[in-house]
Amino acid sequence: MDSLELVYEVDTGDDELLHHLSTSYRNLAQLEMYRYRANDADNVPYMSIMTTVSKICSLQTLHLNLDWAGTPPVHCKNDEQTDSWAIFAYEQAQEMLSVLQSCPRFEYVAFLRPRLQCCTWVKYRPS
């Protein structure tokens, strides 16, 4: 398998799931992950996720919807909120890319950008 879409709500097995992913799918080139918080207070351990995902040496593209606390909902009506999301996403992407660029074939990480009419994937590439 070279492509996988993973949709889940966080529970106590989050670390085990990610470890299984990185050890069982070594030929994965494309990963699309939708990770939903169990409650509003949960923080996203994104650097831990990136460290685990970066062990998939064949990874080329990573699409993420991580349900960040404090970010606008997927179908957001407020342009100011989506503008602040863009700044937040850029900063997170730069941190993630610092880890993910260790994957020899890695091309980009993409975040699902909230919009009123339709959501779009925003891609960030290593420099």
Side-chain angles (χ1 to χ4, degrees):
M1 177 180 348
D2 67 348
S3 181
L4 178 66
E5 180 178 332
L6 181 63
V7 181
Y8 69 102
E9 182 176 285
V10 177
D11 62 14
T12 57
D14 197 32
D15 291 335
E16 291 86 11
L17 174 65
L18 293 172
H19 176 74
H20 174 74
L21 178 71
S22 69
T23 57
S24 298
Y25 299 96
R26 305 298 281 167
N27 295 321
L28 202 60
Q30 300 172 348
L31 175 59
E32 189 169 326
M33 183 185 306
Y34 298 81
R35 180 187 183 275
Y36 296 99
R37 294 174 287 145
N39 63 62
D40 290 341
D42 286 345
N43 290 319
V44 177
Y46 63 95
M47 291 308 286
S48 175
I49 294 170
M50 293 309 103
T51 301
T52 303
V53 168
S54 71
K55 294 176 183 170
I56 305 171
C57 295
S58 58
L59 191 65
Q60 294 175 332
T61 64
L62 178 60
H63 290 79
L64 297 172
N65 181 22
L66 295 178
D67 189 25
W68 302 94
T71 58
V74 173
H75 296 289
C76 182
K77 298 177 183 178
N78 184 326
D79 286 339
E80 189 175 301
Q81 278 187 313
T82 58
D83 289 345
S84 66
W85 175 91
I87 296 166
F88 172 81
Y90 175 81
E91 292 169 352
Q92 301 310 306
Q94 297 312 304
E95 283 189 69
M96 291 178 182
L97 288 170
S98 69
V99 175
L100 292 168
Q101 63 189 1
S102 66
C103 298
R105 298 174 58 200
F106 189 73
E107 296 175 18
Y108 65 83
V109 61
F111 294 141
L112 192 60
R113 181 177 183 147
R115 294 283 188 177
L116 177 58
Q117 298 301 322
C118 66
C119 297
T120 56
W121 290 105
V122 180
K123 297 176 184 177
Y124 300 92
R125 297 178 186 278
S127 47

